[in-house]
Amino acid sequence: MGQTAQEFRNIAIIAHVDHGKTTLLDAMLRQTGTFRENQVVQERVMDSGELERERGITILAKNTAVSYRGVKINIVDTPGHADFGGEVERTLGMVDGALLLVDASEGPMPQTRFVLRKALAQGLRPILVINKMDRSDARPDPVLNEVFDLFAELGATNEQLDFPVVYAKARAGISWRRQEEPQGGLKSLFDLILEHVPPPERDLDAPFQMRLASLDYSDYLGRIAIGRIHRGRVRRHNTVVLLGRDGSIRTYKVTAVFTHLGLTRQEVELAEAGDIVALAGIEAAEIGDTLADPQHPNRLPPIVVEEPTVTVTFLPNNSPFSGREGRFVTSRHLRERLLKELQRNVSLRVQELSPDEFKVSGRGELHLSVLMETMRREGFEFQVSRPQVITKEEAGKLLEPAEHLVVDIPERFVGAVMEALGRRKGGLRDLRTGADGRARLEFRIPSRSLMGWRTSFLSFTSGEGIMHHVFDGYMPWAGELASRTTGSLVSMEEGETFTYALWKLQDRGTFFITPGTPAYVGMIVGEHNRSNDLNVNVCKNKKFTNIRSHASDEAMSLIPHRQLTLEDALGYIRDDELLEVTPQSLRLRKRTTAAAPR
């Protein structure tokens, strides 16, 4: 059945991590009858990926839709982190408006800035939603002023500066405007969307044209192309041409047409301009390609994505423990998987340096670490090198990526944090203190200065600090930076580690392993207290005699080991070290499997 009488609104939701974006979406879906009253639905239902639910962030942009007062509202849930900017840039082209969600206490944060800048550049007029009004430290009026200042700083037009405001408690599913009293439901928000977001321009009689913004895959239907129809109509069994970004032209027959409603896709016979749809049967589809009428093969402008800023080298795992834990271990497996990722990850770049070496470039450490974590969960084993920033040259000057860094810390740590960031060439932009005894500092700092710094930051602030950063363009090369001043503890034997050996060595540094962990020659087992690498024998057990009793072992007290996350490990390694990634383990090692020099 067609959608001939249907009105549309297409919006994106923009927010910093943990400002309530996905919770608000839950409430919107519930209050428009998407779920049955007795249906059990998990919280943050749009964060459907395993990694998204674990980390509490949106990684992949997703489409959903609700129906309100006879109008279909297509909603794109965009990532809040700049490292997934490729997801943002390819989806904002499908919408005509945006909801900017800001925490009523924290105000606009760095990752709000990134996505908002993209939305303003597209000419969108955002609606401001000040969320979490039920917080005891909510300060809506200062936050509103901060958002206005941010709009002005990002070059918003007078029309964009005149943004409407709605207040919300997303977890309770309540919204209201300034002149209203808080009432049940999100009626104020929905009404504002219908009033403020323009309907898409629709030329239904023009030849069909659509740009692909996303891809999906079905075991039954094959590749599924997703995008917004710019003009015309498309029916099941229509013949269309695929205009590739490389200049190629291929002809396909559409085998199925889907529109979105709630969390599901609904198959329809006909879809029309203005709607966001999914088409099956376009097997060679790539993000950024154009689908068009065969008689009018007009190409739409390609999706423009900012260039990567960080690169790492992927290699097959060749350590002594290679093949023990993973299913896909060869360079062929690695190559096929990385090339497959290119099909949907538009901001990723892969260069084959040799049959066993692949240079992979992305938008930041998080962007690359999410790819690594996804691959290890799929059963891949591989190694990666130390991340390096990608520099460029303009007017004879060497430039490097910069970050806009915001740290929220107790006031007593301000001096220590400023001194540490000063050594890393960070320039202070703003410093504000609050009545709660905390301070917020903003810096512009080279991207490479923050690699591996999170652990040090938590140490400086006794675990009470919060930091956020976002890509902030390029700055002149800052020269040599303060980097890791400690060496590594490197295993000189292969075998299982013992409590006795770790106990005897723990005054030499901090260990990354526990007793019973398998080790090999050249494996990094800890961080040395001094600047040089140190060979250690962690596989040495205590010799028992008739004089020493086994009970004496019970008195050995080990300092808790340091558990490295994937991002921690990437930030720790040096140029002569590698990170070994397997489905079950993260191991640090020297590039050669011999132990470090004595």
Side-chain angles (χ1 to χ4, degrees), residues 546-561:
N546 60 347
I547 298 173
R548 294 190 178 103
S549 69
H550 190 278
S552 64
D553 269 359
E554 296 175 2
M556 295 180 190
S557 177
L558 289 181
I559 298 171
H561 75 293

Side-chain angles (χ1 to χ4, degrees), residues 249-307:
I249 301 178
R250 301 182 180 89
T251 303
Y252 292 97
K253 180 176 284 189
V254 177
T255 58
V257 180
F258 299 92
T259 62
H260 298 86
L261 187 63
L263 303 178
T264 61
R265 292 192 184 124
Q266 297 184 330
E267 187 170 1
V268 295
E269 286 293 325
L270 170 72
E272 299 181 340
D275 202 358
I276 296 174
V277 301
L279 306 180
I282 320 297
E283 284 305 312
E286 301 285 352
I287 291 172
D289 291 351
T290 301
L291 286 176
D293 182 276
Q295 304 303 316
H296 302 84
N298 302 322
R299 208 180 295 266
L300 285 165
I303 295 172
V304 178
V305 177
E306 287 186 7
E307 291 300 307

Side-chain angles (χ1 to χ4, degrees), residues 165-178:
V165 183
V166 66
Y167 301 89
K169 302 176 185 177
R171 187 169 290 278
I174 301 171
S175 70
W176 66 96
R177 301 195 205 186
R178 178 179 289 274

Side-chain angles (χ1 to χ4, degrees), residues 42-289:
Q42 63 187 2
E43 287 189 354
R44 297 186 294 112
V45 68
M46 287 295 285
D47 281 347
S48 53
E50 184 181 354
L51 269 178
E52 291 179 314
R53 299 196 67 79
E54 284 182 15
R55 293 172 181 247
I57 60 174
T58 300
I59 295 173
L60 298 176
K62 303 175 197 70
N63 302 326
T64 186
V66 299
S67 181
Y68 178 74
R69 284 171 36 186
V71 178
K72 182 181 178 185
I73 304 173
N74 286 308
I75 305 170
V76 181
D77 183 16
T78 61
H81 200 288
D83 280 17
F84 308 109
E87 297 287 317
V88 173
E89 288 156 339
R90 67 182 174 82
T91 53
L92 286 180
M94 295 193 292
V95 300
D96 304 294
L99 299 183
L100 172 62
L101 199 67
V102 176
D103 188 295
S105 172
E106 294 183 1
M109 297 291 280
Q111 288 143 31
T112 314
R113 170 189 298 266
F114 170 80
V115 188
L116 178 61
R117 183 173 67 231
K118 297 294 181 186
L120 294 176
Q122 295 268 7
L124 303 181
R125 294 181 58 207
I127 297 169
L128 175 62
V129 182
I130 300 182
N131 189 31
K132 300 191 180 182
M133 288 292 291
D134 48 349
R135 286 186 59 157
S136 60
D137 56 350
R139 47 185 195 96
D141 291 337
V143 165
L144 177 57
N145 292 333
E146 290 170 14
V147 173
F148 185 88
D149 292 343
L150 177 60
F151 271 63
E153 183 184 336
L154 296 178
T157 64
N158 290 335
E159 191 177 39
Q160 289 171 327
L161 284 169
D162 187 22
F163 51 83
V165 183
V166 66
Y167 301 89
K169 302 176 185 177
R171 187 169 290 278
I174 301 171
S175 70
W176 66 96
R177 301 195 205 186
R178 178 179 289 274
Q179 66 273 20
E180 299 174 340
E181 289 296 321
Q183 297 176 351
L186 296 172
K187 181 178 182 299
S188 298
L189 177 60
F190 283 123
D191 288 344
L192 195 54
I193 290 171
L194 298 193
E195 293 170 20
H196 186 74
V197 178
E201 296 180 4
R202 306 177 66 193
D203 188 349
L204 301 180
D205 298 323
F208 169 69
Q209 190 182 44
M210 167 180 163
R211 181 171 57 199
L212 306 187
S214 185
L215 297 174
D216 200 354
Y217 185 83
S218 164
D219 291 336
Y220 302 101
L221 298 170
R223 185 170 295 189
I224 296 174
I226 302 170
R228 170 176 158 179
I229 302 177
H230 282 255
R231 69 185 190 199
R233 300 177 170 92
V234 63
R235 297 179 182 271
R236 189 159 61 106
H237 302 316
N238 274 175
T239 299
V240 298
V241 292
L242 178 69
L243 307 173
R245 289 172 297 170
D246 57 358
S248 62
I249 301 178
R250 301 182 180 89
T251 303
Y252 292 97
K253 180 176 284 189
V254 177
T255 58
V257 180
F258 299 92
T259 62
H260 298 86
L261 187 63
L263 303 178
T264 61
R265 292 192 184 124
Q266 297 184 330
E267 187 170 1
V268 295
E269 286 293 325
L270 170 72
E272 299 181 340
D275 202 358
I276 296 174
V277 301
L279 306 180
I282 320 297
E283 284 305 312
E286 301 285 352
I287 291 172
D289 291 351

Side-chain angles (χ1 to χ4, degrees), residues 321 324 491 493-502 513-520 537-541:
F321 291 172
R324 291 190 181 185
S491 175
E493 299 288 342
E494 181 169 334
E496 189 176 289
T497 59
F498 288 95
T499 302
Y500 175 74
L502 300 182
I513 60 171
T514 57
T517 302
Y520 55 78
N537 184 358
V538 289
C539 303
K540 182 179 180 181
N541 198 8

